[in-house]
Amino acid sequence: MFEIWETSEPARLISDAHSLKVALEKVDTMCRLRHDQAVAHVGGAVSEEGYHFEIRDGHGKALARLTYVPDTSRAYQSVVVEELHGGEPT
């Protein structure tokens, strides 16, 4: 079991996932959402520090951290690279 957290202030639990693959997909979805919001100017100005996400194990230990800063000058590009999926295309 994995937990997906957005650790920007205030920290909040976004979701849980039964596999790392699903957890990574959910983080990617959140980054896409933040990108779309930035493009549409919804939710206030994007901080220079961006958005912070963590994938935690069932004991609350952080297994992966990601800081995402939307680049509104281009279309969204996935933050999850093939290598994180074990070489499987996303």
Side-chain angles (χ1 to χ4, degrees), residues 7-88:
T7 58
S8 307
E9 291 298 324
R12 66 185 182 101
L13 176 64
I14 295 170
S15 184
D16 58 17
H18 292 290
S19 72
L20 183 56
K21 180 178 180 179
V22 172
L24 290 168
E25 289 171 356
K26 288 183 178 189
V27 169
D28 193 53
T29 298
M30 286 304 300
C31 290
R32 179 183 299 274
L33 174 66
R34 295 297 184 229
H35 180 270
D36 292 348
Q37 289 174 333
V39 168
H41 304 289
V42 174
V46 177
S47 165
E48 289 180 15
E49 294 179 15
Y51 301 97
H52 306 282
F53 299 97
E54 283 185 0
I55 296 175
R56 298 179 183 174
D57 67 12
H59 303 289
K61 179 181 177 188
L63 301 174
R65 290 186 178 100
L66 171 77
T67 298
Y68 175 69
V69 179
D71 181 353
T72 59
S73 68
R74 61 185 175 137
Y76 178 75
Q77 293 180 330
S78 176
V79 298
V80 179
V81 294
E82 274 186 45
E83 289 78 13
L84 292 175
H85 282 294
E88 298 173 23

